[in-house]
Amino acid sequence: MSMSMSPEILLVGTGAVGSFYSGKLQQAGARVSALCRSDYEIVKKSGIAVKSVWGDFHFMPELVVNRIEDYKQKPDYIIVSTKVLPGIKPASIIAPAVAPGTSIFMLQNGIGVEDPVAAAFPKNEIISGLAFICVSRTSYGRVEHQDYGRLVIGRYPSGPSEKAGILEALFKKSGVPCEHDASVATARWKKLIWNAPFNPMSVLGAGADTMEMMGNPASRHLAKKVMEEVALLAGRLGHEITEAFIQKILDDTAVMKPYKTSMLLDFENKRPMEVEAILGRPLAIAKDLGISLPYMESLYGLLTIINERFIPNR
Amino acid sequence: MSMSMSPEILLVGTGAVGSFYSGKLQQAGARVSALCRSDYEIVKKSGIAVKSVWGDFHFMPELVVNRIEDYKQKPDYIIVSTKVLPGIKPASIIAPAVAPGTSIFMLQNGIGVEDPVAAAFPKNEIISGLAFICVSRTSYGRVEHQDYGRLVIGRYPSGPSEKAGILEALFKKSGVPCEHDASVATARWKKLIWNAPFNPMSVLGAGADTMEMMGNPASRHLAKKVMEEVALLAGRLGHEITEAFIQKILDDTAVMKPYKTSMLLDFENKRPMEVEAILGRPLAIAKDLGISLPYMESLYGLLTIINERFIPNR
């Protein structure tokens, strides 16, 4: 089990989520290297300082590269946690580093993020991960973990996975609540139940926190309708999401400590927002199925106006 | 016809629209007084300076009062052009000045603005007016007219009106294109075809102009769907709005000089927005009729989050 508990891992995407969880895997004994782009110089020199409600820590990757060709290992895992944006193609980025035994761990937001990678590497195992966490990169080399932190991971689209089990054990060893779910695709739709209304509404509500979004009947109505649309679509794809589940998410959100969504942080920093992952792809799937989802279409139309300013070269 | 061409008029609401058109009526010979609130001192001293693409002019009311009880005339017309907001009740404001022969000219945005006034003064004629104009109050006592300016007026809810005809003649005399429409309620729904999508989308698109709102398929789709919902509701109330009319409005908007909506100006100046007049009342009517209008509900839910910050005392 020496490989098992100190696997070789390459992190692609040193944003908040990728840095936080990779640092945790390193704490548990994994050998973690990182591909960096704009933050290369800083991370190579000083690593990543993580301020966390669970205790601050420092993540210094074994090796920091800014061209993936400079990474010469055969990784047990590649963690993909780049932003989900039209211009970023994870399958192309990771291709030079994918070895026959590499498991590709997709730690990203939204729907359908695994499909292009699964298509590009049909012989490699895909592990899908969902992070329920409030964490943000405050500057290059600095990450702040404000709240939560639970992970759900599992083989994509479903089924058992020994290597997902190893990740689970490593995360638990480092103190991360991690659930190994053999139906991770369903879990991804369940996560969208929250993300689809509240990420968009926080931006479109001109910087609204959860308390404001749950603070009046008209916006609560909108949030619930968006959730029902996600559940309708998920159900058509075989992922059952009950009315009781939706009600619980609404109730939990109404009493949660007011906080800013990740999409709002992107907006405030004039970064492209993950509109396609959270709304565009589900709407495209719905269209293929002949389903109209007008509440989600409304949010999508509005966010697209804004995102066009941040993605000038499309 | 001496009364006819120099009628006694009281303006209530010295915002951009009311000031501009009342100034024009004064130019045509009407005797116009004004009820002012926060801008009383400035308007009493200096009147209102109007910078206009049709030629600058100065509007000095005959009498400026800040309590309606100080206005002792029996007006031929009261022009109501206050903002349409939950806290502003025009029927109560004007009550002390309404004489038996007074026609009440409702020059406001949105749907249903006439009903409370018609109910309060069942023996007085209600004239409804729609202003197709880009005009804004840049500070107290200063109004800027950027573009357009056509008026549609008529007896509310419908029918002929001698006194609407007099207003029409005065407006035309002062150079304002004015159409006397015996079906002004229908015209109001037609105006909503533009206002219902583009006013909200300009704010929710984080300060979008018409070119941005028409600039991508997802937002064009949203604009059209909102228009179709307005047309559906109007049709149920007996006001026919055709698909061709909607298409023409879309086509015209796509080529219009990019401009900021009045709702966006309110938002940028942290003033309450006319969300109820443009969305809330139509949605309440729809609800009574058992009609669901999900695109308009979406815009309404989002704008309500924002407006709650500007109307703290509800």
Side-chain angles (χ1 to χ4, degrees), chain A residues 21 105-107 127-132 149-154 177-184 187-188:
Chain A
Y21 288 109
F105 179 31
M106 302 299 293
L107 187 56
I127 298 171
S128 184
L130 303 169
F132 297 83
R150 184 171 67 95
L151 279 179
V152 175
I153 66 173
C178 181
E179 184 185 331
H180 185 172
D181 189 330
S183 309
V184 71
R188 204 167 262 280

Side-chain angles (χ1 to χ4, degrees), chain B residues 180-244:
Chain B
H180 185 172
D181 189 330
S183 308
V184 72
T186 299
R188 205 167 262 279
W189 281 97
K190 287 185 173 173
K191 188 176 184 196
L192 193 67
I193 289 279
W194 198 93
N195 277 337
F198 292 117
N199 270 288
M201 288 172 66
S202 67
V203 173
L204 298 171
D209 63 29
T210 44
M211 184 176 285
E212 286 185 296
M213 291 189 273
M214 293 300 289
N216 75 77
S219 58
R220 281 197 300 274
H221 170 77
L222 174 57
K224 188 173 187 196
K225 287 293 184 179
V226 170
M227 290 178 174
E228 288 171 356
E229 289 184 344
V230 173
L232 171 71
L233 183 57
R236 289 285 294 270
L237 298 170
H239 310 290
E240 194 201 356
I241 298 174
T242 64
E243 186 67 29

Side-chain angles (χ1 to χ4, degrees), chain A residues 48-107:
Chain A
I48 295 165
V50 181
K51 198 177 162 202
S52 169
V53 289
W54 293 347
D56 300 351
F57 65 94
H58 188 252
F59 167 40
M60 185 74 228
E62 302 260 326
L63 182 69
V64 178
V65 298
N66 70 346
R67 299 175 349 117
I68 200 160
E69 292 78 5
D70 295 336
Y71 175 77
K72 306 295 187 189
Q73 313 291 319
K74 304 251 173 279
D76 298 307
Y77 301 89
I78 294 176
I79 301 178
V80 175
S81 59
T82 51
K83 291 287 290 286
V84 182
L85 296 173
I88 298 177
K89 310 287 185 197
S92 309
I93 296 171
I94 66 173
V98 177
T102 303
S103 294
I104 303 168
F105 179 31
M106 302 299 293
L107 187 56

Side-chain angles (χ1 to χ4, degrees), chain B residues 51 55 89 117 218 274:
Chain B
K51 198 175 161 204
K89 310 286 184 199
V117 174
E274 296 184 321

Side-chain angles (χ1 to χ4, degrees), chain A residues 244-265:
Chain A
F245 180 85
I246 289 174
Q247 194 55 54
K248 178 163 181 359
I249 299 281
L250 281 169
D251 293 345
D252 288 352
T253 304
V255 298
M256 106 186 351
K257 182 170 68 180
Y259 98 99
K260 284 190 177 185
T261 68
S262 60
M263 190 174 273
L264 178 54
L265 290 172

Side-chain angles (χ1 to χ4, degrees), chain B residues 12-34:
Chain B
V12 174
T14 44
V17 168
S19 299
F20 180 82
Y21 288 108
S22 296
K24 285 291 170 188
L25 290 171
Q26 186 182 60
Q27 287 182 342
R31 287 167 286 135
V32 185
S33 294

